[in-house]
Amino acid sequence: MPKSRVVGILAGKEDPLIGDLIETINGTNDSGITAELCNVSELDIDMEIPYSVIIDRISHVFPYYLQYTKHALLEGTYIINNPFRFYVDKYFGYTASREIGVPVPDTILLPPKNPGKGFGGDSLQNLVFPLDWKSITEKIGFPAFFKPADGWGWRDVYKVHDFGELMYRYDQSGDNLMLLQEAIDYDHYVRCLCLGRKYTMPIKYQTDAPFHEQYVIDHQHLTPEQGSRVHNYAVALSDVLDFDMNVCEFAFRDGEPIAIDFTNMVPDMQPESIRWHYYEWAVVHLAKVAIEYVDNPPEPGVWKSAERLFAMQR
Ligand SMILES: Nc1ncnc2c1ncn2[C@@H]1O[C@H](COP(=O)(O)OP(=O)(O)O)[C@@H](O)[C@H]1O
Ligand SMILES: [Mg+2]
């Protein structure tokens, strides 16, 4: 069915962005595009979805909404972000990064220490054990980062300094998928908001400061060359991973940005943490993206197109 010129918003009430986003979309364009909270009740396969665009900031913690956005996608609604997505699929992200020429640390995904319930006998016959720890640790070196392949919010991120420490952490990791990654000895760190795969805002980020002092307002923290590199990398990474709303983290070593974490598809947009200055930028640019997409949604990516999805499943 033809879509109304309405942007639907899926988000928790505690997300401060929402009121400002709705107000900005409703108030800043003369094309008749409006925004409202989506109403989601029971999901019926015959249900029609009225929105041209949905901005989703919550289905990552409430999978019921993910079913709604997947249905909406098949109905022709453009979803920010793509519900068929690489949400915190970090290993794929690093691999894709290497493919498109964005520098990332050397990274190895380890098989889970414990395969988990239900895997006895030979059912994992393809897994080669024991691991060749000598070559693994020679490649990555020490210190190294040992962190979850699906992590966020610094959960279970460890800097390991020697083989004993690595083994201790690996033994503790149970059935979690863990990455072992070269530690980048950085002197500058940037979190770069990337919206609509084209609007970027690289923010100086102090990783060892207390929580509310981590983002710093500084308009000179990158040279023009570094700034354009960060912009290009953030756009390329967000595009290849199909994220219209993302934040990409870069550690600078010898002046060069190295991408550390770029699968943050529901980026922190709290004004108290990212600062009002950047918050206002984020609201304005997210509204801009949503408005642009009502009339001109991007070409479906490999993972977004319903036709290709069906083709893949056949
Ligand atoms: N390879 C690395 N080299 C240097 N620092 C790292 C590396 N990986 C992670 N860190 C540090 O740990 C923090 C959290 O790791 P990150 O990969 O961003 O995980 P999360 O998804 O939990 O935020 C980063 O902000 C950075 O300070
Ligand atoms: Mg991070």
Side-chain angles (χ1 to χ4, degrees):
M1 80 164 190
K3 299 287 173 200
S4 63
R5 295 166 68 69
V6 180
V7 176
I9 315 267
L10 278 173
K13 202 167 185 177
E14 68 289 352
D15 194 334
L17 184 79
I18 302 316
D20 290 330
L21 190 59
I22 292 178
E23 204 173 297
T24 306
I25 294 174
N26 288 343
T28 58
N29 73 95
D30 48 17
S31 54
I33 295 169
T34 58
E36 63 184 38
L37 288 173
C38 297
N39 284 318
V40 184
S41 182
E42 77 279 9
L43 303 184
D44 180 336
I45 57 169
D46 294 322
M47 165 179 77
E48 293 180 342
I49 308 281
Y51 306 106
S52 302
V53 173
I54 290 177
I55 298 175
D56 165 22
R57 289 191 43 91
I58 190 169
S59 72
H60 64 300
V61 288
F62 192 60
Y64 185 66
Y65 290 160
L66 191 59
Q67 296 302 313
Y68 178 79
T69 53
K70 286 181 175 175
H71 178 131
L73 178 145
L74 296 182
E75 288 272 305
T77 302
Y78 191 90
I79 316 291
I80 301 173
N81 280 306
N82 177 11
F84 293 96
R85 62 213 182 182
F86 298 104
Y87 175 57
V88 291
D89 195 345
K90 287 192 172 181
Y91 179 75
F92 179 79
Y94 293 118
T95 315
S97 219
R98 277 270 157 99
E99 286 290 314
I100 62 172
V102 175
V104 287
D106 284 337
T107 304
I108 287 175
L109 179 67
L110 298 169
K113 171 70 191 186
N114 299 320
K117 281 201 197 98
F119 292 107
D122 291 332
S123 55
L124 297 176
Q125 62 179 351
N126 303 91
L127 268 185
V128 178
F129 269 111
L131 292 171
D132 183 352
W133 286 110
K134 187 166 181 296
S135 80
I136 291 171
T137 53
E138 271 174 12
K139 165 122 198 211
I140 302 298
F142 287 110
F145 275 82
F146 183 69
K147 60 187 187 182
D150 60 352
W152 49 275
W154 295 48
R155 177 178 53 87
D156 294 334
V157 174
Y158 302 104
K159 193 170 188 178
V160 290
H161 298 84
D162 53 41
F163 188 66
E165 217 178 320
L166 171 60
M167 284 304 102
Y168 174 76
R169 291 294 174 199
Y170 186 53
D171 286 348
Q172 303 269 311
S173 64
D175 56 4
N176 295 322
L177 290 186
M178 302 297 290
L179 297 165
L180 184 65
Q181 185 169 69
E182 173 194 7
I184 303 301
D185 190 11
Y186 59 87
D187 52 16
H188 188 51
Y189 203 88
V190 169
R191 295 197 98 206
C192 182
L193 283 167
C194 184
L195 302 175
R197 308 153 194 241
K198 61 179 173 179
Y199 302 120
T200 57
M201 177 55 80
I203 311 176
K204 177 175 173 179
Y205 188 76
Q206 302 184 139
T207 48
D208 46 9
F211 182 67
H212 285 294
E213 292 165 25
Q214 285 174 331
Y215 290 89
V216 179
I217 297 181
D218 182 341
H219 306 303
Q220 308 285 330
H221 67 101
L222 298 177
T223 65
E225 211 275 326
Q226 288 171 327
S228 78
R229 194 168 291 189
V230 163
H231 168 87
N232 291 340
Y233 288 171
V235 167
L237 290 169
S238 300
D239 197 35
V240 77
L241 296 171
D242 238 347
F243 292 160
D244 290 289
M245 176 171 62
N246 192 14
V247 67
C248 301
E249 299 181 11
F250 299 94
F252 281 71
R253 183 173 60 189
D254 303 328
E256 297 293 326
I258 298 167
I260 298 286
D261 180 18
F262 38 88
T263 47
N264 298 299
M265 60 172 284
V266 186
D268 177 6
M269 289 185 178
Q270 302 269 347
E272 293 79 16
S273 59
I274 71 169
R275 312 268 160 180
W276 283 95
H277 175 75
Y278 297 122
Y279 172 76
E280 279 165 18
W281 180 92
V283 170
V284 166
H285 286 82
L286 193 51
K288 220 172 150 99
V289 169
I291 289 167
E292 285 172 14
Y293 284 6
V294 168
D295 290 319
N296 295 303
E299 278 293 301
V302 174
W303 303 283
K304 191 174 293 136
S305 143
E307 296 82 57
R308 292 203 207 174
L309 192 73
F310 291 141
M312 280 194 295
Q313 286 175 349
R314 247 178 246 133

